[in-house]
Amino acid sequence: MESPGPRARCPVLEQRARWERKRACTARELLETERRYQEQLGLVATYFLGILKAKGTLRPPERQALFGSWELIYGASLELLPFLEGGYWGQGLEGFCPHLELYTLFAANAERSRTTLQEQLKKNKRFRRFVRLQEGRPEFGGLQLQDLLPLPLQRLQQYENLVVALAENTAPNSPDYQQLTRAARLISETAQRVYAIGQKQKNDQHLQRVQALLSGRRAKGLTSVPWILELHQNNGSPAPRALVPPPGLALGGASARGASAPHVLPLL
């Protein structure tokens, strides 16, 4: 009796098995990183926000400017984690999506938060001492408050990568396929909005540096070149109309009659 030959390969079954392996790996990573993320959110909420409220070291407006929607984001993670631990990926992530607006608000407040932290560390001795004391706790592993504040925005990028991968490796006939697909789309849209907010903040910071540079030069009587600002605001592209220097003023800031133009510093 002839021994049976090797079993014929089935591409469909092999693809399904690959999907399942990738889905299981992605789901495990999402769960483990969410636990760590929630722990970090809780540490900041307890050792910074909670104690600051109790001691009154910062006034409520300053505390709000510094931490933004942190506590609400922490609450959203507290709601999400039990679903992930129970394996209800689609249901949990779809229920999490209404909280995504908190991440947009957090991103919009990021520059204000950074400025508030710098100002308070500089002028508020009680706050500076408090922050240094809390940062020394072993729970934070040597991280400073300025390292902890961007955590929600970093986590949003992780959400996008992991949830999109989870949806892509879920079979279309799976019960939570539609939920995961909707969640992946909404998280990706939010991540794009947050990225756009971050880019605008960077552009505004750069423009402020340019304006400060030019203001300093004008104070020294060196130059007055508003068309340079307009060129910067057009992202380095020529403006749609011709930019003509004021009468009698050359690009270097000297009179067009005779005097040589001083050297103009390059824009950084």
Side-chain angles (χ1 to χ4, degrees):
M1 181 176 179
E2 295 183 359
S3 60
R7 296 176 58 184
R9 297 175 58 186
C10 178
V12 174
L13 293 178
E14 290 179 352
Q15 178 62 51
R16 191 170 298 168
R18 283 194 294 269
W19 279 347
E20 286 300 323
R21 287 194 298 271
K22 290 181 180 178
R23 174 184 162 95
C25 182
T26 303
R28 184 170 58 254
E29 183 178 357
L30 177 59
L31 173 59
E32 291 173 354
T33 54
E34 186 66 21
R35 285 172 174 160
R36 177 56 182 157
Y37 173 54
Q38 185 180 115
E39 179 186 1
Q40 292 174 318
L41 290 175
L43 288 172
V44 173
T46 300
Y47 292 117
F48 283 99
L49 262 165
I51 298 178
L52 283 172
K53 281 183 180 180
K55 288 190 171 185
T57 308
L58 287 182
R59 296 178 304 157
E62 295 163 344
R63 196 170 61 242
Q64 178 63 31
L66 180 57
F67 293 100
S69 53
W70 189 282
E71 288 180 299
L72 295 174
I73 288 174
Y74 179 39
S77 177
L78 289 173
E79 292 181 15
L80 173 62
L81 186 57
F83 286 96
L84 301 186
E85 290 176 330
Y88 302 108
W89 310 100
Q91 183 181 354
L93 289 166
E94 189 175 48
F96 172 75
C97 285
H99 299 297
L100 289 172
E101 181 61 22
L102 297 173
Y103 286 83
T104 303
L105 295 173
F106 192 86
N109 186 65
E111 177 59 22
R112 184 181 175 210
S113 173
R114 184 187 66 82
T115 302
T116 300
L117 178 60
Q118 291 177 346
E119 290 176 350
Q120 292 300 317
L121 288 175
K122 183 177 181 180
K123 70 180 186 181
N124 189 331
K125 186 177 181 180
R126 285 184 61 203
F127 177 73
R128 183 168 61 250
R129 187 185 304 116
F130 167 80
V131 168
R132 297 295 177 253
L133 178 65
Q134 301 307 96
E135 289 174 345
R137 289 181 176 273
E139 294 90 342
F140 291 110
L143 293 175
Q144 297 181 340
L145 182 56
Q146 66 181 6
D147 304 318
L148 297 166
L149 288 175
L151 280 176
L153 301 183
Q154 296 168 1
R155 182 56 176 168
L156 179 64
Q157 185 61 60
Q158 291 178 335
Y159 279 142
E160 182 182 22
N161 295 337
L162 293 171
V163 177
V164 167
L166 191 63
E168 289 177 345
N169 290 288
T170 297
N173 60 351
S174 175
D176 59 355
Y177 175 77
Q178 294 297 333
Q179 292 173 318
L180 288 172
T181 301
R182 284 193 296 268
R185 176 177 56 81
L186 292 172
I187 291 172
S188 293
E189 290 173 356
T190 302
Q192 291 171 13
R193 285 194 295 271
V194 165
Y195 176 79
I197 290 170
Q199 288 300 111
K200 183 179 184 303
Q201 290 175 349
K202 288 181 181 179
N203 292 339
D204 289 344
Q205 291 171 15
H206 185 62
L207 180 57
Q208 289 171 4
R209 288 195 294 269
V210 173
Q211 289 172 327
L213 173 64
L214 295 180
S215 296
R217 290 177 62 78
R218 283 198 294 269
K220 296 178 182 179
L222 294 176
T223 186
S224 177
V225 281
W227 55 89
I228 294 181
L229 288 180
E230 186 163 348
L231 185 66
H232 175 79
Q233 289 167 342
N234 281 274
N235 295 320
S237 303
R241 59 181 177 84
L243 297 174
V244 181
L249 183 64
L251 284 176
S255 170
R257 294 189 297 272
S260 59
H263 177 66
V264 178
L265 293 176
L267 296 180
L268 300 178

